[in-house]
Amino acid sequence: IAAAVLARSYLALSHPKRAQALVQRVAPSLDSLKTLTIEDVQLELLLARASAELGDIAGSRMALARAENAIDGMGLPPDAPTRLSASLVRVQIERHDGRQEHARDVAEQLLVAYDHAPVNETLEFADLLRSLAKQTYDNTVATGLFERAWKITSARYGKSSPAALADQRSVIVRDLQGAHRLDTNRLLDEQEQQTRDAFGDRSLDYAEVLFIRCEM
């Protein structure tokens, strides 16, 4: 469970290599298990996501296949968050394998299918929102999607958490490129202080805040 939380945070902060290395250190212990728990499946899905982002399409598909076999064995309902997570990995594989238009179409279908409570309040749904936001050229739409993801992450981890701050930076960037409806100066001032206090002035998070300010 702890490894899954850390790996998910690494992915939210765009550090797939760290996520992959962490899960791979835990993965050998999964081989000895006759049946996988939901937490084990989440590790496999996180490994599949990280591998896809790193361009290891074959490794990603293998991890996804192991996870989907376990999911089918558990008999989870069609709208279970874990099934959404598995479907989203397929979208990421398609996107990183060069089929961006198909990946975007599938992601939009997933949004329609899963946009209802309680599944649309989960971290898995936030992953879907981020995926769609990154694939759209409409900055206003992207800003709204990132905002929804930020609210979910903030509710789960707190507004000052690394993952929530990363989502908020995504909101700021897309708003700057589009509608300019946010008070970005105030938000960046808060982010600059929070990231400096939490991670130091030599951290990647702090550097991202400064980079956004330079773009402004």
Side-chain angles (χ1 to χ4, degrees), residues 1 11 14 24 32 49 51 69 73 89 97 116-117 128 130 132 135 140 154 159-160 167 173 186 200 216:
I1 294 173
L11 287 170
S14 301
Q24 285 176 336
S32 62
R49 283 179 54 192
S51 298
N69 286 337
V89 171
D97 204 25
H116 60 84
L128 172 60
R130 288 189 207 96
L132 268 171
Q135 294 179 71
T140 301
S154 298
K159 290 186 177 181
S160 298
D167 277 341
V173 169
R186 178 183 61 80
M216 288 178 64

Side-chain angles (χ1 to χ4, degrees), residues 132-183:
L132 268 171
K134 291 174 182 177
Q135 294 179 71
T136 181
Y137 296 106
D138 187 324
N139 289 313
T140 301
V141 171
T143 301
L145 292 168
F146 274 129
E147 261 188 318
R148 291 187 67 185
W150 171 68
K151 289 177 181 177
I152 292 170
T153 310
S154 298
R156 180 63 63 91
Y157 294 132
K159 290 186 177 181
S160 298
S161 65
L165 290 173
D167 277 341
Q168 189 183 49
R169 289 196 293 273
S170 297
V171 174
I172 292 169
V173 169
R174 294 309 287 263
D175 181 72
L176 284 171
Q177 296 170 354
H180 297 276
R181 63 179 178 80
L182 301 176
D183 185 354

Side-chain angles (χ1 to χ4, degrees), residues 3 19 21 25 29 31 62 70 75 85 128 140 143 170 186 198 204 207 213:
R25 287 201 299 273
S29 64
D31 295 336
M62 288 176 60
S85 188
L128 172 60
T140 301
T143 301
S170 297
R186 178 183 61 80
L204 290 175
R213 196 178 289 286

Side-chain angles (χ1 to χ4, degrees), residues 73-126:
M74 293 175 185
L76 296 179
D79 63 346
T82 307
R83 288 195 183 276
L84 169 58
S85 188
S87 297
L88 188 53
V89 171
R90 289 197 173 278
V91 169
Q92 291 169 321
I93 290 174
E94 293 284 298
R95 184 160 58 89
H96 290 289
D97 204 25
R99 293 186 286 271
Q100 284 85 357
E101 289 187 13
H102 179 65
R104 184 169 57 250
D105 290 343
V106 174
E108 289 173 349
Q109 293 168 14
L110 290 173
L111 182 65
V112 173
Y114 285 90
D115 196 1
H116 60 84
V119 68
N120 63 359
E121 300 166 359
T122 63
L123 295 173
E124 290 82 0
F125 192 78

Side-chain angles (χ1 to χ4, degrees), residues 6-28:
L6 286 171
R8 182 181 289 279
S9 296
Y10 282 143
L11 287 170
L13 294 167
S14 301
H15 299 313
K17 187 65 179 176
R18 294 182 182 180
Q20 184 190 56
L22 174 63
V23 178
Q24 285 176 336
R25 287 201 299 273
V26 179

